[in-house]
Amino acid sequence: MFQLTATPASALADEPVHIRVTGLPPLQTVTLMASMKDEKGNLYQSRAFYRASKAGELDLKQAPALGGHYVGVHPMGLFWSLKPEKAFERQIKKDVMNSPFWITLELYDSVYLQKSGEVQPRASQVVQRWFSSPQTQRVQVQEGRVRGALFLPPGAGPFPGLIDLFGGIGGLVEYRASLLAAHGFAVLALAYFAYADLPKQLQEVDLEYFEEAANLLLAHPKIQKPGIGVISVSKGAEIGLAMACYLKEVAATVCINGCNAIFEFPLKYRDLAITPIPSLPERMEFNIMGALCLRHYKGNPRDALNQHSVLPIEKAQGPILFIIGEGDECFNSREYAEQALDQLRRHGRSSGRMLLYPGAGHLIEPPYLPLCYASWSRGLFCPLLWGGDPVGHAAAQEHAWGEIQKFFRQHLVHSRSTL
């Protein structure tokens, strides 16, 4: 009797699932397949081919995939190797509170190459991947100019507070904030353009908006004082680094594949105005799929003419963790992080650290989410290339997620709390 089990069948999206098969003929070659639809109805699928043991069993913690979307021992490979049926789609969870992603696992007793549903599987199981814990509270934020969503863990607190910033995707992106809240952080997912009554396009970065958001978070009775953390990616990481440099409220900063200088849009803060480094459109490249590579598009912050745009990272009051994918095809992010660390060292500061991940692309997400190699991006006529290879990227996401939480606990938790 074929039996496919996935434990736990319902869990947070950043928790591993143990997949086992029993009742197989000895040494039988089988296909394991995963499929899911996102909230827009886009289909994602993955598959891998395995051989059962002499006892007719299969345990993905130990058994290597022989082929398919990955090769070797990867217990969560079916999850992080999910591919969109429609090219250049990016898997993003919108409703983080009320519904999970439903992923169907199917077993076929041969090398099966057809679509799911064309042949009846020998066994199947549905798993739920949630982006918030049942006790997490979501509070819509619309106060002053600030727009976003605050995620609060259960209990009285106080909790270490974080602001979560995404990049050129715009709008309000909540899934990372809601997952961090499930691990004991109070997180404000902050929108800063293309949402509600905020500007539809980003034309300048007004750091006073982000200062207002930081003060709003710190004023909440459940937020631990005296400072907050910032977790940020891409354009958001450029803003996150600027917040670290200029805002006294920021005590610890994680920058995922960002810049060390101001690019594309001017930054303003009180009497300060920083003009962006000019970009070089003639250095844009298209890859074989027609996706646009911007890795060499930005001017070099090391050039003497661009020094006015480089952020004064030596002014940052708290530590900064740079998380860098070596396979980033959107930013020259390793070079930017190294420049920032050089700048700190020149000023006698040792408050910066870089985690460098071979094979990881630009969009380093929470663990087990699939690599998005290229996707459509706001305002562009073609898909944007993010880079990365699935195996290296998956390993980076799993390791970085733990390091991010460890970093914030180390630098924000000063007294006894629920953590």
Side-chain angles (χ1 to χ4, degrees), residues 4 19 21 24 28-35 45-52 58 60 63-83 104-114:
L4 169 63
I19 299 171
V21 182
L24 294 167
Q28 171 77 44
T29 300
V30 299
T31 300
L32 280 173
M33 195 166 171
S35 60
Q45 289 190 323
S46 64
R47 75 187 71 211
F49 311 126
Y50 288 91
R51 181 168 289 119
L58 192 60
L60 266 58
L66 308 175
H69 280 117
Y70 56 92
V71 173
V73 179
H74 297 290
M76 289 294 288
L78 289 167
F79 293 80
W80 54 248
S81 69
L82 284 161
K83 302 280 190 300
T104 301
L105 303 174
E106 296 176 328
L107 170 73
Y108 297 88
D109 59 355
S110 62
V111 173
Y112 181 68
L113 297 175
Q114 281 71 36

Side-chain angles (χ1 to χ4, degrees), residues 384-396:
L384 203 53
L385 186 65
W386 307 114
D389 75 76
V391 174
H393 195 84

Side-chain angles (χ1 to χ4, degrees), residues 152-188:
L152 295 168
F159 306 107
L162 304 178
I163 286 179
D164 187 2
L165 295 172
F166 278 78
I169 190 173
L172 181 59
V173 186
E174 303 179 25
Y175 60 88
R176 187 169 61 193
S178 60
L179 279 175
L180 284 168
H183 295 285
F185 298 93
V187 192
L188 173 60

Side-chain angles (χ1 to χ4, degrees), residues 253-331:
T253 309
V254 170
C255 296
I256 304 170
N257 289 325
C259 301
N260 66 318
I262 299 304
F263 283 100
E264 296 172 291
F265 311 104
L267 180 138
K268 296 182 179 179
Y269 179 57
R270 299 180 182 174
D271 297 330
L272 175 72
I274 303 179
T275 55
I277 293 177
S279 295
L280 306 163
E282 67 274 16
R283 292 191 185 176
M284 294 189 294
E285 302 170 26
F286 294 94
N287 83 335
I288 194 169
M289 300 186 304
L292 182 62
C293 174
L294 297 180
R295 184 179 174 86
H296 308 292
Y297 166 74
K298 298 183 187 318
N300 190 349
R302 288 198 193 272
D303 291 350
L305 289 174
N306 294 332
Q307 291 309 297
H308 65 281
S309 303
V310 176
L311 288 164
I313 189 172
E314 68 278 1
K315 293 184 178 179
Q317 297 180 63
I320 301 166
L321 177 62
F322 296 94
I323 291 176
I324 304 299
E326 277 199 281
D328 185 353
E329 295 290 353
C330 188
F331 287 7

